[in-house]
Amino acid sequence: MKAVLQKSFDKTLFLDNVKRHLTSTYATTVENATTRAWYLAMSRALAELTTFDLLETEQDERILNAKSVNYLSLEFLIGRLTGNNLLNMGVYESIGEAVAELGLDLSDLLEEERDPSLGNGGLGRLAACFMDSLAAQEFPAVGYGLHYEYGLFKQSFEACHQKEAPDAWCGIEGYPWEVARPELAQQIGFYGYVTTETVDGQEKRKWVPGMTVMGMPWDIPVVGYKSETVYPLRLWECRALAPFSLESFNNGNYFEAQHTLIDAGNITKVLYPNDNHEKGKTLRLMQQYFHSAASIRDILRRHESVGHPLAELPQYETIQLNDTHPAIAIPELMRIFIDERNMSWEEAWEICSRTFAYTNHTLLPEALETWDESLIQRLLPRHMEIIYEINHRFLQEVREKWPGDGDKQQKLSIIQDGFHRMVRMANLCVVGSYAVNGVAALHSALVKQDLFPEFHELYPNRLMNVTNGITPRRWLQYCNPGLSHLISEKIGDNWPVALDELAQLAQWADDDEFQQAFMAVKKENKARLAKWVKTNMDIELNTDAIFDVQIKRLHEYKRQHLNMLHILSLYYRLLNRPDFDMVPRVFIFAAKAAPGYYLAKEIIYAINKIAEKINSDDRVNDKLKVVFIPDYRVSMAEIIIPAADVSEQISTAGKEASGTGNMKMALNGALTIGTMDGANVEIREEVGDENIYIFGLEVEDVNRLKASGYNPFDYYNADPLLKASLDLLNGEEFTPGEPRKLRATYESLLDGGDPYLVLADFASYIEAHGQIDAQYRDTAGWAKKAILNTALVGKFSSDRSIRDYVNHIWKLKSVPR
Ligand code: 26W
């Protein structure tokens, strides 16, 4: 690994380039440039440097002849690039000094960057961390995604309700870090019909699309940490092929002629804002096919440009499917092989099924994708034929293994029978892949046990686990410079590429001086967040209070409303029990709700109303504060996470596949309060029982309770504190003159049957919070726990996740440059 930029960084040349972009790209002058113009010009100048390396990496013979992974994902939640890339390029300090000569402050410039919010949450952010780790360890890779015109909506609160606004992340000037690759554009078809042609006496099926669009790739550089390796994150934008139909144009029907243009422009117009809930919309399937088809063609182009035969595809390329969203890539590759490259079914299948691997990210039934057979038939008629054939041959295999077992066939079939026949994308992925993985040990066990038990019997070696991870560059080194310096002082500066080395910190966990330094950094980070909250929300926070943080998408299974009930119980006790004492707490929430998810929006509304009241109630003000930070996004997480004392990971056991926010906060010295769910289980294994607060029902308990007929009223009637808290919610305390205005949440927890067992876990949750309160008072004891969290979570580096994929699934070799 070389740090060439670091060595050869030429300040004068760089500043000249910045000034050149200021005038030639952004049409302004040194005298007139705004901070924004300077940020754009600086980023363009930096991006230019990485484009050189991108092209060199792309043409490197050793990489062309090595095996690469193609990471197919409808989402890449990359976050701001400029600051992080400066760090990866090893020039953060020198650029800071360089721009200072122009009288500019680097952090002001970095604040000008808008987050590219090209993802919803966990799945998209994981894809971004994985790209960072692939580049850092120089495992050849290409990320394939979509160039949405609008990313995830921007969130604001109006009278405590969530309001959505479109997110034009590119801005009017365009995004400085991307470069168009028109020479790599592709044509993609939709609709139409299938005919049979006879070629050389052989019958061949041929798809004649009814509509064709263009896929224009934009490359975003993924910069390897202190190396010259730069891989492309290739995002496809959909455009009309010809601006309009010439024929109708010449007929004088100018506006009709523009219809194709409008349709094509729609496909990548906006990211679907649903997280863990699929809706089956035509445009979404069009996005998926557009993404898969463009990516597959690009992969084949790369493979063949070096002269590799198609039959050797699995030796050179592997294709990782990030959930089932790109599943249509499987029949697409089959179609190209059979219809366009004259392969036999057997030969095509042999290659295909050694090329794809699939990651499952959720067990929630409402998130498992199924598409109407009739929709696929209409949009992609040839693909539907191929799916039938895949299924037909697969079911034959099932019949051989279990003769006469109709039940097994029904469960395994890719086609779900019924009035509306549906295609189960997860089944298609398992059948068409050589490896299938879950994202944490518990989740992968449940994938084998509950989601795909029959597949596991049929293919005992196919299902595996790769526990998720996070990149330590962005999520410690970049976002928490104070802690990073403290760590490097103690153990040197190799930990960003070898996170297990943090374990050495454990030797100072009891050291007075180190404890104080560690907690002083935490306090500075809390002050930084408090300043943000004061400036942007005009709420005053006490940095001596416990900062108790829950930041993630809003979903019932994640149970923000359990956290809310805890707050209500504290408020109730502060007002009604004169002897009740507590360490001051600041509750921090940040979460977006899918725009169509009614109850999630009601929970946001309730928390905001509760916050409004509590924050202005002088009786409790010195003890309790509640802050719901609007518009949660990567750059906001970078400020919140280093400031967390307590990390809320409180999903119903068995529902959160992994979680990655849990890893980020533990790494930054927060203690987790969590259920035995997702990666919490493994975090506990690493940090030890004394350094985490585990509570609540486990998966088996949840199943048993549900099977025995769960009744939330049993808990409501038996626990006075729970009853008082819920009644407080349903009264008019928080909505004076309008009782029961927050009833949606209340009712879902009682009459609604409490599907996620909030009430069942309440008592145990309150008890765990009681322990936190007691143990936080022991300053040295808490510092020790916080230090041990940072020290002992090295396992959760995404570098380790990527090595697991490389060794057990992809079988790649690192190609150092
Ligand atoms: C089709 C609608 C839809 C959209 C997104 C269904 C499902 C999804 C994602 C798979 C949901 C998701 O982001 N899952 C999260 O993936 C993370 C990365 O593996 C895990 O850490 C989270 O636990 C999981 O909820």
Side-chain angles (χ1 to χ4, degrees):
M1 229 195 289
K2 287 178 277 177
V4 168
L5 260 174
Q6 228 170 358
K7 271 189 250 148
S8 67
F9 176 68
D10 180 335
K11 188 155 58 180
T12 324
L13 183 63
F14 177 73
L15 289 178
D16 283 349
N17 281 335
V18 175
K19 290 178 200 159
R20 175 169 55 80
H21 280 295
L22 205 57
T23 43
S24 68
T25 313
Y26 298 106
T28 184
T29 57
V30 170
E31 294 73 36
N32 294 325
T34 57
T35 315
R36 178 155 189 83
W38 280 115
Y39 143 72
L40 287 166
M42 172 180 76
S43 300
R44 264 307 319 144
L46 289 165
E48 216 165 59
L49 294 174
T50 63
T51 303
F52 274 118
D53 286 328
L54 178 95
L55 293 174
E56 271 185 15
T57 310
E58 193 170 85
Q59 283 148 23
D60 188 321
E61 288 292 323
R62 293 166 313 143
I63 291 179
L64 289 169
N65 288 300
K67 188 173 179 184
S68 302
V69 63
N70 299 276
Y71 202 83
L72 263 59
S73 179
L74 274 276
E75 306 186 13
F76 284 90
L77 191 43
I78 51 181
R80 289 175 174 170
L81 288 186
T82 308
N84 196 252
N85 284 351
L86 284 174
L87 187 143
N88 280 2
M89 293 159 86
V91 293
Y92 197 100
E93 254 96 68
S94 8
I95 297 281
E97 288 160 19
V99 299
E101 285 184 13
L102 299 168
L104 300 164
D105 180 47
L106 180 57
S107 40
D108 289 345
L109 297 190
L110 298 182
E111 273 308 301
E112 288 291 326
E113 182 171 354
R114 240 181 227 262
D115 286 44
S117 293
L118 306 181
N120 272 286
L123 164 128
R125 182 55 232 175
L126 186 75
C129 283
F130 280 3
M131 289 309 297
D132 184 83
S133 283
L134 283 161
Q137 299 174 105
E138 304 182 286
F139 292 116
V142 179
Y144 285 104
L146 286 182
H147 192 277
Y148 301 105
E149 188 177 337
Y150 296 97
L152 186 60
F153 65 86
K154 286 198 286 187
Q155 178 198 54
S156 61
F157 298 131
E158 251 174 39
C160 293
H161 288 287
Q162 167 172 300
K163 221 190 133 224
E164 301 97 22
D167 164 54
W169 63 283
C170 277
I172 40 173
E173 313 92 344
Y175 188 59
W177 280 100
E178 64 185 3
V179 49
R181 304 294 303 270
E183 79 281 13
L184 305 181
Q186 299 283 356
Q187 292 189 19
I188 315 294
F190 291 97
Y191 300 107
Y193 57 93
V194 183
T195 57
T196 308
E197 283 179 348
T198 311
V199 183
D200 300 333
Q202 268 202 321
E203 296 226 313
K204 292 202 56 75
R205 300 292 278 161
K206 188 180 167 214
W207 175 30
V208 184
M211 162 186 165
T212 304
V213 300
M214 182 179 74
M216 164 70 91
W218 293 88
D219 280 0
I220 292 184
V222 182
V223 177
Y225 184 70
K226 297 195 173 161
S227 84
E228 282 173 275
T229 288
V230 175
Y231 297 138
L233 171 54
R234 190 154 289 164
L235 303 179
W236 300 100
E237 180 194 9
C238 186
R239 294 194 182 169
L241 194 53
F244 34 67
S245 141
L246 259 185
E247 202 184 331
S248 358
F249 186 68
N250 291 332
N251 289 338
N253 204 345
Y254 178 79
F255 286 97
E256 186 135 299
Q258 298 209 51
H259 263 150
T260 44
L261 188 145
I262 294 161
D263 283 350
N266 269 338
I267 292 182
T268 52
K269 181 66 77 180
V270 54
L271 166 75
Y272 273 86
N274 295 324
D275 188 67
N276 269 307
H277 196 91
E278 76 106 16
K279 289 255 163 73
K281 292 269 188 290
T282 308
L283 189 61
R284 166 81 177 172
L285 183 60
M286 291 179 88
Q287 285 187 341
Q288 295 186 347
Y289 177 66
F290 172 75
H291 168 258
S292 287
S295 307
I296 289 285
R297 256 167 259 204
D298 195 57
I299 293 165
L300 292 178
R301 176 193 61 76
R302 282 174 25 233
H303 179 72
E304 295 191 301
S305 71
V306 207
H308 297 315
L310 279 185
E312 288 174 19
L313 188 69
Q315 275 120 273
Y316 293 98
E317 303 293 339
T318 188
I319 301 177
Q320 189 66 33
L321 304 173
N322 201 20
D323 216 281
T324 56
H325 315 156
I328 198 74
I330 297 172
E332 170 67 2
L333 187 57
M334 286 297 284
R335 185 189 68 79
I336 293 176
F337 282 166
I338 295 166
D339 297 0
E340 296 180 5
R341 305 303 185 92
N342 296 317
M343 276 189 206
S344 68
W345 181 279
E346 290 73 16
E347 198 185 350
W349 186 250
E350 162 74 17
I351 301 171
C352 252
S353 55
R354 287 194 294 130
T355 299
F356 289 100
Y358 151 59
T359 305
N360 171 282
H361 295 268
T362 180
L363 298 169
L364 298 189
E366 66 270 29
L368 296 179
E369 288 191 298
T370 55
W371 289 106
D372 264 358
E373 182 195 88
S374 56
L375 172 57
I376 300 186
Q377 178 67 48
R378 194 160 49 87
L379 194 67
L380 303 166
R382 178 60 179 139
H383 296 77
M384 198 57 240
E385 285 184 0
I386 291 170
I387 293 170
Y388 286 139
E389 185 64 21
I390 294 174
N391 197 41
H392 174 73
R393 290 172 183 247
F394 168 65
L395 288 181
Q396 230 153 354
E397 203 181 317
V398 174
R399 278 190 290 271
E400 274 161 35
K401 165 102 181 173
W402 293 290
D405 191 340
D407 195 47
K408 280 270 189 326
Q409 287 178 51
Q410 249 189 24
K411 285 196 170 127
L412 287 164
S413 175
I414 296 169
I415 313 285
Q416 183 184 316
D417 241 328
F419 183 64
H420 282 299
R421 309 213 314 164
M422 306 289 276
V423 180
R424 298 162 167 156
M425 302 313 260
N427 293 38
L428 175 60
C429 284
V430 180
V431 173
S433 298
Y434 66 91
V436 174
N437 74 286
V439 290
L442 175 67
H443 168 67
S444 298
L446 295 174
V447 166
K448 286 182 190 170
Q449 215 185 87
D450 300 337
L451 187 63
F452 299 138
E454 297 82 10
F455 277 116
H456 187 44
E457 245 186 294
L458 187 62
Y459 307 124
N461 300 319
R462 196 165 292 185
L463 306 190
M464 31 197 149
N465 174 245
V466 179
T467 298
N468 281 168
I470 56 168
T471 169
R473 272 79 62 187
R474 184 179 290 266
W475 295 114
L476 180 52
Q477 193 181 8
Y478 176 68
C479 75
N480 197 342
L483 185 53
S484 298
H485 289 137
L486 183 63
I487 293 170
S488 296
E489 261 171 42
K490 283 290 185 198
I491 66 169
D493 60 3
N494 192 46
W495 58 267
V497 292
L499 203 61
D500 287 326
E501 291 184 9
L502 291 183
Q504 295 169 47
L505 293 174
Q507 63 188 294
W508 295 287
D510 278 309
D511 181 292
D512 216 37
E513 206 180 311
F514 188 69
Q515 285 185 351
Q516 279 172 29
F518 192 94
M519 293 316 283
V521 170
K522 181 60 80 182
K523 186 118 183 221
E524 281 165 24
N525 291 331
K526 287 161 82 169
R528 172 170 71 153
L529 174 59
K531 186 173 164 212
W532 189 97
V533 169
K534 176 68 192 161
T535 310
N536 293 278
M537 304 176 73
D538 199 25
I539 300 173
E540 203 91 47
L541 300 182
N542 168 11
T543 54
D544 286 324
I546 299 174
F547 276 30
D548 184 323
V549 174
Q550 188 171 21
I551 45 176
K552 48 184 82 252
R553 283 299 287 256
L554 211 130
H555 204 293
E556 288 166 89
Y557 85 81
K558 295 177 186 284
R559 300 200 295 192
Q560 280 92 352
H561 45 350
L562 176 57
N563 189 347
M564 177 179 90
L565 283 180
H566 173 233
I567 296 169
L568 291 171
S569 82
L570 292 172
Y571 187 53
Y572 176 82
R573 282 176 285 178
L574 284 170
L575 294 182
N576 297 288
R577 301 200 186 149
D579 57 331
F580 181 71
D581 181 36
M582 63 177 279
V583 178
R585 279 229 204 184
V586 174
F587 289 92
I588 294 156
F589 292 88
K592 289 178 180 175
Y597 189 170
Y598 170 75
L599 190 58
K601 289 180 138 180
E602 283 293 319
I603 294 171
I604 290 181
Y605 179 64
I607 296 173
N608 272 330
K609 289 310 275 185
I610 292 167
E612 196 175 66
K613 173 75 204 265
I614 289 181
N615 295 343
S616 61
D617 186 338
D618 288 338
R619 297 170 299 174
V620 300
N621 236 311
D622 56 333
K623 297 282 189 208
L624 258 191
K625 279 276 162 69
V626 182
V627 185
F628 205 125
I629 295 177
D631 203 34
Y632 184 49
R633 58 198 185 276
V634 172
S635 62
M636 200 63 237
E638 288 163 2
I639 302 175
I640 303 173
I641 287 167
D645 291 308
V646 172
S647 158
E648 299 271 353
Q649 307 299 336
I650 59 178
S651 51
T652 315
K655 301 294 180 197
E656 189 69 270
S658 161
T660 42
N662 47 2
M663 303 167 183
K664 291 167 197 165
M665 283 196 269
L667 181 61
N668 283 272
L671 274 69
T672 304
I673 179 166
T675 46
M676 286 294 271
D677 201 16
N680 297 352
V681 176
E682 289 158 81
I683 293 178
R684 178 198 194 202
E685 250 166 48
E686 297 298 303
V687 304
D689 236 342
E690 332 73 65
N691 302 310
I692 189 168
Y693 299 91
I694 295 291
F695 73 95
L697 301 173
E698 301 190 11
V699 173
E700 292 73 33
D701 306 322
V702 167
N703 292 338
R704 234 178 288 125
L705 183 57
K706 286 239 167 188
S708 69
Y710 170 62
N711 182 358
F713 282 97
D714 295 346
Y715 295 83
Y716 175 79
N717 292 319
D719 182 343
L721 186 59
L722 172 58
K723 182 168 188 305
S725 309
L726 277 162
D727 290 350
L728 201 51
L729 174 68
N730 203 35
E732 60 177 320
E733 191 76 28
F734 307 105
T735 53
E738 296 179 284
R740 308 203 58 233
K741 207 160 181 216
L742 305 180
R743 68 178 172 276
T745 310
Y746 174 90
E747 282 171 356
S748 96
L749 292 174
L750 288 164
D751 293 330
D754 184 13
Y756 295 97
L757 306 181
V758 171
L759 272 51
D761 273 345
F762 176 82
S764 153
Y765 181 56
I766 298 294
E767 145 102 39
H769 269 302
Q771 278 183 37
I772 288 177
D773 181 277
Q775 294 180 359
Y776 193 82
R777 294 165 196 250
D778 168 11
T779 313
W782 186 273
K784 178 178 180 181
K785 291 177 195 297
I787 292 167
L788 287 175
N789 267 268
T790 299
L792 298 176
V793 294
K795 168 178 171 183
F796 304 103
S797 168
S798 47
D799 295 348
R800 188 272 314 147
S801 305
I802 287 299
R803 288 194 301 272
D804 284 354
Y805 278 101
V806 162
N807 295 330
H808 303 299
I809 301 179
W810 302 334
K811 314 281 180 188
L812 312 180
K813 286 197 184 66
S814 176
V815 182
R817 282 175 41 84

